[in-house]
Amino acid sequence: HFRMKARQRIQMIADKGSFHELYSNMKADNPLNFPGYKDKIETVRVASSESEAVVCGAATIGKQKCCLFVMESYFMMGSMGSAVGEKITTLFEYAVQYRMPVIGFTVSGGARMQEGLLSLMQMAKTSGAVEQHSKKGGLYITVLTDPTTGGVTASFAMLGDIILSEPNATI
């Protein structure tokens, strides 16, 4: 149990060759024209090799179909901005449409301050998507990794039907 890149975790959990990424085109913008944010985003995209702080997709685990999201700690510590909220929300909508469970691996320092209130609004948006999935009978399993804090903890991370935590993870 240690920090790892999102794609490493996907490779470890999903059946070989089964992961199909969704929503990779959703990326952070600079909606508030926060000074230096655009440059920071470009820097972390290169450093993390990811376009955003969460990777979403469909896969099989033990030959069972599921939707999977894995937050990327190496992308601004997995902070939740508008694109992260949209990707997770859209994944839950996909799971409802195709009647699939969702498994989420959370790691986050919280809401992305450079997006202000737009980032905080993602808490309600993702929580609503989880609720709709639940109302349709969907199973949601969360795996809390180190650290899972802030707005992620106050929203979708703690709404799982089954919540697991890695040993010694800061929650």
Side-chain angles (χ1 to χ4, degrees):
H1 302 289
F2 51 87
R3 289 184 189 167
M4 66 178 71
K5 290 184 156 273
R7 293 192 192 273
Q8 288 174 296
R9 194 172 297 276
I10 292 166
Q11 189 175 24
M12 288 176 61
I13 193 78
D15 294 343
K16 187 175 182 166
S18 71
F19 182 75
H20 172 72
E21 187 170 0
L22 300 169
Y23 322 120
S24 60
N25 61 330
M26 292 183 191
K27 301 174 186 174
D29 197 10
N30 190 1
L32 304 180
N33 293 317
F34 194 92
Y37 183 43
K38 192 171 190 164
D39 292 336
K40 183 168 187 153
I41 289 291
E42 289 307 316
T43 300
V44 296
R45 280 189 180 133
V46 170
S48 69
S49 301
E50 295 297 344
S51 62
E52 233 337 311
V54 68
V55 178
C56 297
T60 60
I61 299 175
K63 299 181 182 175
Q64 298 297 311
K65 290 181 183 180
C66 68
C67 288
L68 182 64
F69 72 84
V70 182
M71 299 187 80
E72 176 58 74
S73 64
Y74 295 96
F75 192 105
M76 294 184 73
M77 200 53 228
S79 59
M80 181 171 57
S82 298
V84 169
E86 183 65 18
K87 287 176 83 165
I88 290 172
T89 297
T90 306
L91 185 70
F92 273 94
E93 292 168 349
Y94 180 95
V96 166
Q97 181 180 356
Y98 293 100
R99 302 180 55 84
M100 297 169 75
V102 176
I103 301 171
F105 289 82
T106 61
V107 57
S108 180
R112 201 171 291 171
M113 69 175 203
Q114 296 90 339
E115 294 185 30
L117 187 57
L118 296 172
S119 179
L120 293 174
M121 289 169 53
Q122 303 313 306
M123 293 169 58
K125 181 177 181 175
T126 56
S127 295
V130 172
E131 180 181 10
Q132 291 305 309
H133 181 256
S134 180
K135 283 181 176 179
K136 296 289 186 177
L139 173 66
Y140 174 36
I141 300 170
T142 55
V143 182
L144 311 176
T145 71
D146 185 53
T148 298
T149 62
V152 168
T153 303
S155 60
F156 63 87
M158 295 300 180
L159 296 175
D161 298 302
I162 299 170
I163 302 173
L164 307 171
S165 176
E166 291 185 336
N168 302 314
T170 300
I171 309 298

